[in-house]
Amino acid sequence: MLLNHHYTKQVYDQLAKRYPYQREYLQAVHAFLEAVDPIMASKPTYQKQAILERLVTPERIISFRVPWMDDQGQVHLNQGYRVQHSSLLGPYKGGLRFDASVNEGIMKFLAFEQTLKNALTGLPLGAGKGGSDFSPQGRSDQEIMRFCQSFMTELSHHINEKLDVPAGDIGVGEREIGYLYGQYKRLKGVELGALTGKPIQANGSLGRRQATGYGLIYFLEAMLAADKKTLEGQRLLISGTGNVGLHAALKAQEKGGLVVALSNRSGSLYDPEGLDLDCLTSLKEGGRINLAAYKGHYPQADFSTASIWARPIEAEIALPCATQNEIDAQMAQNLIDHGVHYLAEGANMPLNLDAQHVFNQAKTMTWAPGKASNAGGVAVSGLEMSQNAMRQSWSLDQVDQELQTIMHQIFDTCQAACQDYQLGKNYAAGADLAAFNQVVAAIEAQGLV
């Protein structure tokens, strides 16, 4: 879709000229500008106030080197980042990603999306994102600990429980957060809320590990309920066997869904009778589920190195929970051709722009963007901050009840925006517009910030 209003075109063209190689960031901004473009004509003051420029531009980008030593005594050097995008609604809040793909453009894209996501939760959270091009895969615990300590030595200058509260993301789980928090305490003293996603033994929150995956299913349930449907008997395709994908699969199964296919970096596994998730979770090697080994237990299953989205698998629901841009236009059409009617994003921006347009034009397809459907992780991170501030520890049931309430409220917010702007079931545009209105209200209330 083209940008029609001169203001949205101007903002995007300036960014594209300035950051031509930051593809993910430009993609996220373009999709957002498409959603808000139709309302610009009725808001002429926005250009004079530079509303869009202030919304898409990070407040601060911190870049630093991270030297660390491996078990053989070899010194390595990685690049670290923290993009503090927006403090309009509260302290910067967003995860840390340790993966070889990390660069400044990806950090900016994630921080921008986090701004919209956090606004939708209704919690007092600003937005940021950070990480490094270091990958924990194949590294020993001691190497990971030394890297985390070096990374936090610099990051500690820029975070605290009132300013910026990082959490985990790809490559950063409870182990990494534990090491990061331990180093933070050595340098700055005890601040329980300086990081979230902490191990329970370090004052973390029950339910945080499951939060994004469970929240995804709670949002999906609300989306289905709007069409008077439930998960009972629905077949699901899920990419990713990390925290998000695996917990989404477990919760979907608990709700009566049939998970027929899962995938990770090794390939995709399909069982028309439904996957035995207990068996799969027992097949971990080096922290990753060995999907190919499943066939030794269930001969009727079919493992392939092909993408789960390119395979001719009949299903009603797709949950991409792996990474950005994992679904292109051809894959999107393949899903439609094989009966998928609902898609909810567990990853951040797993659909490229062409795939989004294919789904938007398909009358049989309803999909939800990650900024709405995968907000469960940051929601429970916000709840962890509350528990730390009150020196309390909530039960798993209490956290889960709060999570369900937040996810249903996010859906209601997106649905209300769709009704207000006559968008039908275009929840992606509804989410962008709802978050936009929330952030703009904060800009206007706080003046020139």
Side-chain angles (χ1 to χ4, degrees):
M1 184 185 298
L2 298 176
L3 300 174
N4 296 312
H5 195 272
H6 68 275
Y7 180 33
T8 54
K9 282 175 57 64
Q10 174 186 305
V11 171
Y12 181 79
D13 289 345
Q14 288 174 345
L15 290 176
K17 183 177 181 180
R18 189 172 183 181
Y19 307 110
Y21 302 111
Q22 295 184 359
R23 293 176 297 174
E24 292 85 1
Y25 172 62
L26 293 175
Q27 178 184 334
V29 170
H30 194 284
F32 166 75
L33 292 177
E34 283 185 11
V36 302
D37 184 89
I39 68 171
M40 287 300 116
S42 63
K43 303 288 185 179
T45 60
Y46 283 178
Q47 183 171 6
K48 187 173 182 179
Q49 295 175 289
I51 291 292
L52 293 178
E53 292 93 330
R54 292 155 72 184
L55 202 153
V56 303
T57 304
E59 294 176 7
R60 188 177 298 109
I61 299 176
I62 301 156
S63 177
F64 53 95
R65 69 178 189 179
V66 187
W68 60 281
M69 185 181 292
D70 67 21
D71 290 340
Q72 287 70 47
Q74 174 65 49
V75 174
H76 300 264
L77 200 66
N78 286 92
Q79 194 66 27
Y81 302 94
R82 187 64 177 172
V83 177
Q84 295 176 332
H85 191 92
S86 175
S87 58
L88 285 164
L89 301 177
Y92 306 108
K93 186 80 192 79
L96 299 171
R97 175 176 294 193
F98 291 169
D99 190 79
S101 67
V102 165
N103 57 45
E104 184 177 304
I106 287 178
M107 292 295 96
K108 285 172 65 178
F109 131 64
L110 291 169
F112 172 64
E113 288 284 291
Q114 194 78 42
T115 299
L116 305 176
K117 180 187 302 185
N118 291 2
L120 289 172
T121 67
L123 300 173
L125 301 173
K129 207 75 176 184
S132 174
D133 55 1
F134 167 84
S135 175
Q137 290 295 327
R139 294 294 178 183
S140 70
D141 282 353
Q142 291 300 307
E143 288 173 328
I144 292 169
M145 182 180 70
R146 288 193 290 272
F147 174 83
C148 288
Q149 290 173 339
S150 182
F151 183 88
M152 181 53 76
T153 298
E154 174 59 30
L155 185 66
S156 64
H157 298 304
H158 311 287
I159 67 171
N160 63 56
E161 59 189 7
K162 296 180 180 178
L163 172 66
D164 186 347
V165 184
D169 193 79
I170 293 173
V172 180
E174 286 185 5
R175 173 184 59 180
E176 289 76 16
I177 291 291
Y179 293 152
L180 291 165
Y181 183 56
Q183 181 70 356
Y184 183 90
K185 288 200 300 180
R186 290 176 64 190
L187 297 168
K188 297 290 186 177
V190 178
E191 281 187 16
L192 298 184
L195 287 156
T196 59
K198 301 184 294 295
I200 298 302
Q201 299 85 347
N203 297 291
S205 174
L206 293 168
R208 175 60 186 90
R209 183 186 305 170
Q210 306 97 312
T212 307
Y214 281 15
L216 176 64
I217 299 303
Y218 297 148
F219 187 97
L220 175 64
E221 283 189 304
M223 190 163 67
L224 290 169
D227 291 341
K228 296 181 171 53
K229 295 181 181 180
T230 70
L231 262 171
E232 187 71 33
Q234 306 265 19
R235 294 168 295 179
L236 295 94
L237 313 175
I238 302 177
S239 67
T241 55
N243 274 342
V244 182
L246 184 58
H247 286 111
L250 290 167
K251 180 58 71 172
Q253 184 182 72
E254 179 187 313
K255 297 285 186 175
L258 187 69
V259 180
V260 296
L262 277 172
S263 69
N264 58 23
R265 292 182 181 180
S266 68
S268 54
L269 179 69
Y270 169 54
D271 187 341
E273 298 178 13
L275 294 169
D276 181 341
L277 300 180
D278 291 333
C279 177
L280 275 172
T281 55
S282 72
L283 298 175
K284 280 196 173 182
E285 295 179 3
R288 181 178 296 168
I289 292 176
N290 184 348
L291 295 179
Y294 182 86
K295 193 173 178 64
H297 299 266
Y298 291 90
Q300 80 278 4
D302 179 28
F303 175 79
S304 171
T305 56
S307 166
I308 189 174
W309 312 122
R311 298 182 65 179
I313 301 173
E314 297 291 331
E316 290 78 39
I317 296 169
L319 303 177
C321 299
T323 190
Q324 66 268 9
N325 291 328
E326 57 179 288
I327 299 180
D328 60 23
Q330 187 173 355
M331 294 172 178
Q333 189 59 54
N334 178 62
L335 292 176
I336 293 169
D337 292 343
H338 289 89
V340 171
H341 298 302
Y342 295 92
L343 181 145
E345 296 181 345
N348 293 306
M349 202 173 71
L351 310 181
N352 70 18
L353 285 174
D354 292 336
Q356 292 178 27
H357 295 159
V358 169
F359 285 147
N360 286 339
Q361 292 167 9
K363 295 180 180 179
T364 61
M365 189 73 194
T366 303
W367 70 282
K371 62 177 66 72
S373 54
N374 74 19
V378 73
V380 173
S381 281
L383 300 180
E384 182 176 333
M385 291 169 65
S386 296
Q387 293 171 71
N388 291 164
M390 294 186 289
R391 300 297 191 265
Q392 293 182 356
S393 181
W394 298 348
S395 70
L396 180 59
D397 183 65
Q398 183 177 357
V399 172
D400 191 61
Q401 288 297 319
E402 292 283 349
L403 173 61
Q404 291 185 54
T405 297
I406 291 170
M407 296 311 298
H408 283 92
Q409 287 176 346
I410 292 173
F411 176 78
D412 291 344
T413 298
C414 295
Q415 188 179 49
C418 287
Q419 292 170 351
D420 291 343
Y421 293 100
Q422 299 180 334
L423 298 170
K425 294 179 183 178
N426 188 343
Y427 297 126
D432 279 328
L433 283 162
F436 173 74
N437 290 334
Q438 180 83 351
V439 176
V440 169
I443 291 175
E444 293 179 333
Q446 298 177 37
L448 194 58
V449 294

